[in-house]
Every structure is written in C-alpha cells, then in structure tokens.
Amino acid sequence: MTDNTFTPRVFSGIKPSGGLQLGNYLGAIKRFVGMQGEMETVYCVVDLHAITVWQDPAELANGTREVAAGYLAAGLDPTKSILFNQSRVSAHAELAWIFNCVARVGWMNRMTQFKDKAGSNAEKASLGLYAYPSLMAADILLYHATHVPVGDDQKQHVELTRNIASKFNHDFKTDFFPMTEPVIEGSATRIMNLRDGTQKMSKSGESDMERINMLDDADTIAKKLKKAKTDPEPLPETVDGLANRPEARNLVDIYAALADITPEEVIAQYSGAGWGTFKPALADLAVSKLAPISVAMKQHMDDPAEIDRILANGAEKAREIADPILNKTYDIVGLLRS
Ligand code: AQP
C-alpha cells in the first residue's frame, strides 16, 4: 500500500439522449456551475452512455452540442472547468473494460435504473445498458474524482463506483482509487414528471407535456406548468402537509430550486394559496429564470464550430489527467505496454 492523498476534484456528466430537461438543469447543471471555483471541476457530455439505447447518429451529434450549449448557457466557464465529450477520451472505455472485470454480475443485477430502463424486455436490452454503471465508475475514477454532484436517481451508481474502487484496491493491494462522495443536496434532487408525481422527469419520457425542456419557449413553459397535475387542496401550512401529495410537493420543490430558497420558505409565502394563484406565480418564476438560459443556449448552438472547439480543447486537458491514471492502472493490473 502507498499513502495516497487525493486532490479534491469534481466529475459529473449528462447524456445527450434527448433535449435537456428541467431536472437535468436543477438537479445537475445548476449545481455543477455552483461548484466551479470551489475545487477542480471536470464536466462531460457522456455520449458513450447515450448509445446504450438507440440514438439516431445525426441527432446524437446535435444532442451532444445541445448539452454542451446547456452547460455554457447556464454559466459553465471552459477556462475554469474542463468541458468535453466522453468519446474523445478513449481512456474512459479502456478503464471501463478493466472495471467490467472487477464488478460482479450480482452487483449489476441490483441496479434499479437498468430494471426501469430495460422494463419487461430485459433480454432485448443492450449489453451496454447493463454495463452502464461500470462505465460510469470509469468516468469518475479516471479523474480520481472525490466529489460527484448528481440527482438522486444516480446515487446507486455512485455507490457502485465506491464498491468497484474498493474491490480494485483490495484485489491489487493498493489504495490507488479514492472513495468518491456523491453530492446530492438541495430541493431539486429528484424533479418529478408533471403528469405523474411518482415518476422522475426524464428527457426520454413519452409525453412532452410531462417535462419542461430547456429550449421550451415562455408560452410552452407556462402552459405545461398550468396544466401540471395537482390535487384539489390548497397549499398546506407546513411542508409536512405535502406528505402523500407528490404532485404538490414537486411544484413546491421546483419553485424552491428556481428561487434559491427552501421549500419551507415557499410554504411560508404561499400557505393557503390555491393552484390558481401558485401555478401562475411558478410559471412567471420559471420563465424569468429559464428564458435567459434558453436564449443563450440557442446562441451557442448557432455556432457549432465554436462548441466543437471548446469540446476538443477540453478533451486535451482531460487526457492530461486521465492518461497517467490509466497508465498506472495498466501497470497495477499487469498489462504490458510499450
Ligand atoms: N428529474 C430529475 N431530477 C433531478 N436530477 C435529475 N437528473 C436527471 N433527471 C433528473 C440528473 O441529471 C444528471 C444527468 O442525467 P443523465 O442525462 O446522465 O441521465 P438520467 O438521469 O437518466 O437523465 P434523464 O433526463 O432521465 O435521461 P434519459 O431519459 O435519457 O434516461 C444526473 O446527475 C441526474 O441525476
């Protein structure tokens, strides 16, 4: 064993598997931007994860630029953070293979996201979808990342990353990989579907009305929030009164995250208000916060060459961290290289 200390470093990513939605922004991107400057930050558009389900090639390339545009529009600064797309740094796939040989099939069988995404037709799911958490562990550990900001849905995958790091360290009698901490905090750790408060808001959800897309215009955002499913009760006097009211809880959480206040403060302000009051207030807030980001996203997307340049530069910087870590991993495992 060596006495390994790890530089505090953040890694996280988003898949270009469709247009960015509000959950990606509040649960991930907004927090990524908040951590910029606190420690070294590495942010990725994880295109290799996107192809675990079928992606039209032209849409994948466009979606990759759209996620990058979302990062930039929300305030991610490529001079302060490393920003790149995963497939440009081949070390991700190489380390993932080694981790496929460390992770156990039993661990993968417990991943709830695979069960949700594969549904009743798991036999027809891609092998990549099954192995996804092992690639995610490689994404994180390739940078010796100590902190991973994610939404609640990714918590199990970060825990698996710790299991992989721990088994690797144990099997090879080393302390080479860190025990990464998931950073899951704030009121937006799990933004729910606007039509069913028990389901997560997703890019790939069936109906467009169930999510707010980051490129939706003001009228569409207002329409979707006004049509969001609710119950007949007014807002309660305390946050505890939102228990068993998933749709009401979700709209309060969205308000809190957009306004940078706590759900308790939202309830203090709107206690007793009906949906006819709260929904228009939420719509106004959402439009005022999201419209500038969507305008900036469109401006970035009008210059795809500039996005490609930023991603290529970011990949060069990413390789400077990743390559020595991959090389050392090969040495530890006993894989000969010239
Ligand atoms: N609804 C959500 N609430 C809070 N956080 C969320 N995230 C996703 N949805 C919500 C967070 O966004 C980051 C990027 O996620 P991803 O794109 O890599 O994968 P995902 O979680 O599977 O996102 P989607 O939108 O649901 O994509 P599809 O439909 O393609 O699977 C992660 O930190 C995630 O937690």
Side-chain angles (χ1 to χ4, degrees):
M1 290 255 185
T2 56
D3 182 19
N4 220 344
T5 51
F6 297 96
T7 311
R9 185 178 287 142
V10 173
F11 177 92
S12 202
I14 295 190
K15 325 195 272 289
S17 48
L20 284 175
Q21 43 90 9
L22 184 65
N24 299 135
Y25 172 62
L26 293 176
I29 301 179
K30 187 165 184 271
R31 298 173 50 234
F32 298 175
V33 174
M35 293 178 96
Q36 193 169 245
E38 279 177 19
M39 55 185 111
E40 207 177 325
T41 41
V42 183
Y43 296 125
C44 192
V45 185
V46 286
D47 45 9
L48 295 175
H49 284 281
I51 61 168
T52 56
V53 298
W54 168 251
Q55 302 294 334
D56 175 87
E59 280 173 29
L60 178 62
N62 191 46
T64 300
R65 293 190 184 107
E66 184 182 324
V67 174
Y71 280 135
L72 296 167
L76 206 136
D77 177 347
T79 66
K80 292 188 184 150
S81 292
I82 296 178
L83 172 60
F84 68 107
N85 59 307
Q86 184 187 27
S87 59
R88 284 182 203 255
V89 180
S90 58
H92 287 250
E94 292 181 65
L95 186 60
W97 179 257
I98 293 175
F99 287 169
N100 281 346
C101 302
V102 172
R104 306 289 92 182
V105 168
W107 301 357
M108 296 294 162
N109 286 341
R110 286 192 281 279
M111 294 297 110
T112 54
Q113 197 182 70
F114 175 76
K115 290 179 198 159
D116 291 346
K117 292 209 185 287
S120 54
N121 216 354
E123 292 272 314
K124 295 235 165 108
S126 73
L127 189 54
L129 188 67
Y130 187 66
Y132 177 123
S134 172
L135 176 59
M136 181 162 156
D139 300 336
I140 294 167
L141 294 172
L142 190 55
Y143 299 91
H144 277 181
T146 52
H147 297 78
V148 180
V150 278
D152 187 56
D153 61 316
Q154 295 293 339
K155 186 173 179 205
Q156 197 185 28
H157 291 164
V158 183
E159 279 162 3
L160 185 105
T161 299
R162 292 165 64 94
N163 291 341
I164 290 177
S166 174
K167 182 161 165 53
F168 182 98
N169 287 349
H170 175 268
D171 289 355
F172 293 101
K173 298 184 179 41
T174 178
D175 55 3
F176 187 58
F177 287 115
M179 289 298 121
T180 308
E181 291 293 335
V183 186
I184 302 171
E185 54 195 28
S187 55
T189 57
R190 200 175 186 90
I191 297 297
M192 308 310 276
N193 173 331
L194 297 178
R195 309 300 283 182
D196 176 354
T198 66
Q199 300 296 319
K200 185 181 89 91
M201 187 181 286
S202 274
K203 300 182 209 87
S204 55
E206 262 171 40
S207 158
D208 197 55
M209 287 302 285
E210 65 190 49
R211 64 180 163 266
I212 307 260
N213 303 302
M214 292 307 290
L215 287 176
D216 281 345
D217 61 30
D219 287 348
T220 308
I221 293 174
K223 187 171 92 188
K224 287 180 177 176
L225 286 172
K226 283 179 190 155
K227 287 194 180 258
K229 186 178 166 199
T230 41
D231 54 38
E233 302 298 319
L235 284 166
E237 282 178 12
T238 65
V239 170
D240 290 347
L242 292 169
N244 305 319
R245 296 178 64 187
E247 285 84 13
R249 171 86 221 196
N250 190 37
L251 295 188
V252 168
D253 283 345
I254 293 175
Y255 192 107
L258 286 169
D260 282 317
I261 58 176
T262 62
E264 286 76 10
E265 287 170 308
V266 179
I267 290 299
Q269 207 178 328
Y270 285 100
S271 165
W275 296 109
T277 304
F278 187 72
K279 281 183 172 180
L282 175 59
D284 286 349
L285 174 66
V287 168
S288 73
K289 296 283 180 178
L290 301 179
I293 299 176
S294 113
V295 168
M297 265 179 87
K298 285 176 192 148
Q299 282 167 351
H300 285 295
M301 286 176 71
D302 283 344
D303 192 353
E306 174 62 5
I307 293 182
D308 293 358
R309 191 191 63 77
I310 290 171
L311 294 175
N313 278 349
E316 249 176 65
K317 292 188 213 158
R319 273 185 226 108
E320 284 169 21
I321 304 175
D323 286 351
I325 290 178
L326 182 71
N327 285 338
K328 178 74 183 160
T329 310
Y330 271 68
D331 289 346
I332 292 171
V333 174
L335 298 166
L336 286 181
R337 322 192 89 187
S338 55

